[in-house]
Amino acid sequence: MFDPTAIKEVFLGLNPIMQSLFGGLFTYGLTALGAALVFFTKSVNYKMLDAMMGFAAGVMIAASFWSLLVPSIDMAGAQGMIEWLPAVIGFLTGGIFLRICDAYLPHLHIGLPIEEAEGVPTSWRRATLLVLAITLHNIPEGLAIGVLFGAAASGIEAAGGATVMGAITLAIGIGIQNFPEGTAVSMPLRREGLSAGKSFWYGQLSGIVEPISAVIGAAAVLMVQPLLPYALAFAAGAMIYVVVEELIPESQLHGNTDLATLGTMIGFSVMMILDVALG
């Protein structure tokens, strides 16, 4: 018989590296699930997609604050640091890191013509550039999951919400917002003539980096515990950069600004509820 309590106890008994791996696999799975919509239709309602992209932005904003910045500040205080300093340094460093990646990694934002691809010039195909764009912002999402699982296992008191349940909640929130991202990659490729199988392949491929980066994040902070407050804020800064530079503009490309804005507010509210109620 299915026993969720037993499954929860088994998961909580795993080491943080394995917890991070499963958390990353969960978020990847929802990316693949979103990409799988190409097997049922060639088109997607842009109003719905823009609202879902706005929802994803709201989830990431709330996760950055409730799941990452607050634990970073509280953990710094528990370690005897100036509470706000690691959060500020990590937050800005995360944004700068994404800006550097954005400047040099060839990629194409969803909904734009290939002539507007960013990064160094390349002859790579549109599908590859689209996947790289989503992959670029999936990296900090995976890192955030891994870092939070690592923080939960650190043993530092007053970690301010850095618990295994808080990390699970973050993985749930990121997984929810990954669903429309998988759809947003695979659906345009299907409309451009790629087969359903190839469109799905490229869509799910964008999420495979999350379990990898989650394991890397957990391993890094477990080896160097004083980096935990900085690492949490780094992930938050990278996620906010993605939201402002990519998700919000993409959610408003088709003129559905009101729907996208409401989606952002709903996404923020849902993630806040999840984090406070479960984390």
Side-chain angles (χ1 to χ4, degrees), residues 191-217:
R191 287 198 308 271
E192 291 175 9
L194 268 69
S195 68
K198 285 187 176 180
S199 299
F200 168 76
W201 169 256
Y202 283 116
Q204 63 82 33
L205 192 62
S206 64
I208 198 65
V209 71
E210 291 203 6
I212 299 171
S213 54
V215 168
I216 292 173

Side-chain angles (χ1 to χ4, degrees), residues 72-96:
S72 170
I73 292 169
D74 289 346
M75 188 172 286
Q79 292 182 346
M81 305 178 185
I82 299 174
E83 292 183 343
W84 53 265
L85 188 60
V88 171
I89 293 174
F91 185 80
L92 293 177
T93 303
I96 292 170

